[in-house]
Amino acid sequence: MKKLLITLLCFTPFLLQAQQLKEWGQKQLKFATFYTAVTGNNSLADISVYSINPTTGILEENIESTPFDYTLAFGVRKIARLDYENRKNVFYNGTETSVSDAATVGNVEGLEYLFEFDYKRQQGSKFVDQQHYLRYVHDHWILKVEYVQDGFADLRYFEASQRYRYNIAKEFSLNVGLVQRFSEPYGFDPLSDLTGADFTNIAVEQGYGTNFEGEWINPNGDIVAENNIVWNAVALPNVLNEYVDQERALLPYQWNHSLVLGYDYYHYTKSFWFHSWASVLPLHVSAKNEYSYTNFVDGNTWFDYTGGLILGWQVNKRLGLFSEGKYHKYWNRAWHDFSVGFNYRII
């Protein structure tokens, strides 16, 4: 009996911690939604492509068809909607996007998250999109981790930040902290020391070749050029682009550590709302690497920045105006989206 009591006393702290961890996990999963969905729609219409057969001189017509677009999405989401947001669909299907997700501060304190993986076919090309996102907002500090991959835009980046938050007013706060990001290799050019003959040798090493008719064949056996003129003007540049992408993909991503300064402003009434945020990264420290962006720009004091703005104004019962968008500029590369317009209701 004595040994049993001693054993229970020893394991009690672990049991309490396990129970507390279970309760914390249940709290974080509360109001979260797991979802999976398949969506699809028509792609580009069939088009006729005309060419003249170099042997017979006869006009030939080929029909190019683009298969339908689709998206297969898996995800889990827990992000509180802001006062001006309405849920678009009854069920989540992976097409939900909101400019406000990029804001530094959310609508509630605590943990919010989004993990989504999309496998897509768009305009005949297949892509993988990912968006993974964690944000913890406290009255005096903010933690955020985000990973984004946009296959169609050829965009991929990771960012983590730890910020101190100073509330000037209920609607307005400033923040300062550190950001860790990775970027693609800069200053890498595997073609810089090559000449014309070397370019063709690269294509041959990639599996391209010619047949007895002088046509160029890709590794799958398909004709990509009917003669050397078309090969040098059209097909070979595409092969070299693929080669550069392939060689660059072998290099590791470059880590950047940066200072960040930012603000967040949110004002809402039923007839007018204004939400704005911005972050500026003026000072950077990069790991010493041959292909670091700091070497590419010869310094560590360039300006990266990101921001967003959402405006809604219900002028009267009939007229409403709106504008929203966000903008990123990292490592001299920019990406953005926006919408602006008005609604007029006939009553």
Side-chain angles (χ1 to χ4, degrees):
M1 185 67 179
K2 184 178 180 180
K3 292 182 178 180
L4 179 60
L5 290 173
I6 293 174
T7 302
L8 289 174
L9 289 173
C10 290
F11 279 95
T12 296
F14 297 101
L15 293 174
L16 290 174
Q17 290 179 4
Q19 181 62 28
Q20 292 173 351
L21 182 61
K22 179 181 178 181
E23 292 175 355
W24 182 87
Q26 290 175 340
K27 179 180 178 182
Q28 302 310 320
L29 287 174
K30 189 176 182 180
F31 302 121
T33 302
F34 293 85
Y35 57 90
T36 181
V38 179
T39 58
N41 57 271
N42 293 336
S43 188
L44 300 173
D46 295 347
I47 59 174
S48 297
V49 178
Y50 297 94
S51 62
I52 298 178
N53 189 302
T55 303
T56 63
I58 298 175
L59 180 67
E60 297 179 348
E61 178 186 5
N62 294 313
I63 305 298
E64 291 188 358
S65 299
T66 303
F68 69 92
D69 296 345
Y70 66 81
T71 299
L72 175 61
F74 304 90
V76 55
R77 179 185 183 97
K78 181 185 177 182
I79 301 177
R81 294 192 301 274
L82 291 153
D83 300 300
Y84 54 77
E85 294 181 307
N86 293 315
R87 185 163 174 171
K88 179 181 178 181
N89 300 317
V90 175
F91 298 103
Y92 289 122
N93 62 9
T95 62
E96 297 78 17
T97 59
S98 175
V99 174
S100 65
D101 288 351
T104 309
V105 178
N107 196 31
V108 297
E109 289 192 1
L111 181 65
E112 296 181 297
Y113 51 83
L114 168 67
F115 299 96
E116 182 172 320
F117 179 91
D118 298 337
Y119 184 76
K120 296 182 176 182
R121 184 170 67 192
Q122 188 171 351
Q123 297 182 14
S125 299
K126 295 180 179 180
F127 304 99
V128 172
D129 287 356
Q130 299 183 68
Q131 184 176 9
H132 309 305
Y133 163 103
L134 279 168
R135 177 174 63 194
Y136 194 99
V137 176
H138 186 268
D139 193 40
H140 296 298
W141 49 271
I142 307 165
L143 299 177
K144 188 174 182 180
V145 180
E146 184 177 20
Y147 176 78
V148 174
Q149 178 182 354
D150 187 332
F152 189 74
D154 190 24
L155 172 68
R156 178 165 52 182
Y157 75 93
F158 167 87
E159 179 178 304
S161 64
Q162 309 83 38
R163 312 189 192 201
Y164 169 73
R165 179 186 181 192
Y166 180 71
N167 296 297
I168 294 179
K170 182 179 179 180
E171 298 177 333
F172 182 59
S173 65
L174 301 175
N175 58 79
V176 59
L178 301 175
V179 173
Q180 302 81 42
R181 303 173 295 163
F182 66 55
S183 69
E184 64 181 10
Y186 282 85
F188 173 70
D189 184 4
L191 305 177
S192 59
D193 298 326
L194 303 182
T195 61
D198 296 324
F199 300 146
T200 300
N201 291 335
I202 289 175
V204 173
E205 293 174 359
Q206 297 291 101
Y208 290 82
T210 58
N211 57 21
F212 292 108
E213 287 76 24
E215 300 168 325
W216 283 87
I217 312 297
N218 68 13
N220 297 325
D222 302 320
I223 298 174
V224 294
E226 297 175 347
N227 51 55
N228 286 333
I229 296 176
V230 177
W231 167 254
N232 290 318
V234 180
L236 182 56
N238 293 330
V239 174
L240 296 178
N241 286 335
E242 294 175 358
Y243 172 76
V244 171
D245 291 340
Q246 173 185 306
E247 293 298 303
R248 184 177 285 115
L250 299 176
L251 298 176
Y253 275 83
Q254 313 299 301
W255 280 96
N256 291 259
H257 306 274
S258 310
L259 173 71
V260 61
L261 308 171
Y263 79 88
D264 190 278
Y265 179 81
Y266 177 52
H267 169 78
Y268 173 80
T269 66
K270 290 185 177 181
S271 60
F272 180 82
W273 54 89
F274 184 85
H275 189 186
S276 175
W277 65 91
S279 296
V280 178
L281 288 68
L283 184 63
H284 316 267
V285 178
S286 178
K288 299 298 182 180
N289 191 289
E290 181 180 359
Y291 301 115
S292 172
Y293 189 74
T294 54
N295 298 330
F296 184 74
V297 297
D298 193 24
N300 60 356
T301 56
W302 75 91
F303 281 87
D304 285 347
Y305 50 88
T306 179
L309 184 147
I310 298 174
L311 170 67
W313 182 20
Q314 191 65 49
V315 181
N316 51 46
K317 291 183 178 181
R318 295 175 179 267
L319 179 63
L321 308 176
F322 68 90
S323 176
E324 64 178 33
K326 61 181 185 289
Y327 186 90
H328 276 80
K329 184 178 181 294
Y330 283 175
W331 308 294
N332 202 34
R333 180 176 180 182
W335 61 97
H336 56 84
D337 59 76
F338 70 91
S339 63
V340 59
F342 71 91
N343 286 184
Y344 186 82
R345 185 183 299 124
I346 299 175
I347 57 177

